[in-house]
Amino acid sequence: MVEKAKKTSNKGKEERKEGEPSAAFKGASWAALLVGVTAYIIGLFNAAMELNEKGYYFAVLIFGLYAAVSLQKAVRDKEDGISVTGIYYGISWFALIVAVSLMAIGLYNAGSIILSEKGFYAMAFVLSLFASVAVQKNIRDTQAARERE
């Protein structure tokens, strides 16, 4: 039988199950997501753009977050032997590619945004997408570890 990974201290903290991410990794993932999304939104709030431009960049962020999590789930399901239809898998890839493309095209064509701001939005966007995947992975790994009990 596989031995459980036990992480307990003298203070009586809950033990970590085998395959469950550490609290530090979970916290870092959530922090990265919150920092990325918050920075992006604060940047939009303070930007000298028309409201429709701000709405465009906000919608692209939300679309990108959803697409990244959806793709992560589809890839993980396939690896775990869970049935994923080809159309869902393809749409997940397509949605992420479209979200990233919309961000790149929008920033490239934005004449009212200086280059450093474009870099800021791009980095906050990428950080948010990566962090959303990490948070989803942590949630799934934690759930799977607890279901094995």
Side-chain angles (χ1 to χ4, degrees):
M1 178 172 221
V2 178
E3 187 177 323
K4 295 179 188 174
K6 294 183 181 180
K7 303 289 181 187
T8 58
S9 70
N10 296 337
K11 296 180 183 180
K13 291 183 182 178
E14 185 178 330
E15 68 181 49
R16 197 173 95 208
K17 313 288 189 262
E18 182 182 349
E20 181 179 6
S22 67
F25 186 66
K26 290 178 192 177
S29 299
W30 275 104
L33 180 61
L34 292 174
V35 166
V37 170
T38 302
Y40 189 96
I41 291 172
I42 289 172
L44 279 181
F45 181 78
N46 292 316
M49 295 181 203
E50 296 292 324
L51 190 56
N52 62 335
E53 290 178 280
K54 291 179 181 185
Y56 171 82
Y57 288 109
F58 181 73
V60 169
L61 174 67
I62 299 304
F63 179 44
L65 292 172
Y66 180 79
V69 169
S70 183
L71 178 60
Q72 189 273 346
K73 182 182 179 345
V75 168
R76 182 76 180 265
D77 283 353
K78 283 183 82 162
E79 287 182 5
D80 290 349
I82 299 170
S83 179
V84 176
T85 63
I87 191 73
Y88 183 79
Y89 187 71
I91 288 172
S92 297
W93 269 110
F94 179 73
L96 184 63
I97 291 167
V98 167
V100 172
S101 297
L102 286 172
M103 177 58 76
I105 292 166
L107 290 176
Y108 179 78
N109 290 316
S112 64
I113 303 176
I114 62 174
L115 193 56
S116 61
E117 286 180 282
K118 290 179 182 185
F120 165 79
Y121 286 116
M123 293 310 298
F125 182 73
V126 170
L127 173 62
S128 298
L129 294 186
F130 177 78
S132 69
V133 169
V135 167
Q136 165 62 16
K137 180 191 177 310
N138 290 342
I139 290 169
R140 185 165 176 160
D141 288 348
T142 299
Q143 180 181 353
R146 294 187 180 178
E147 285 175 356
R148 279 188 227 125
E149 290 299 308

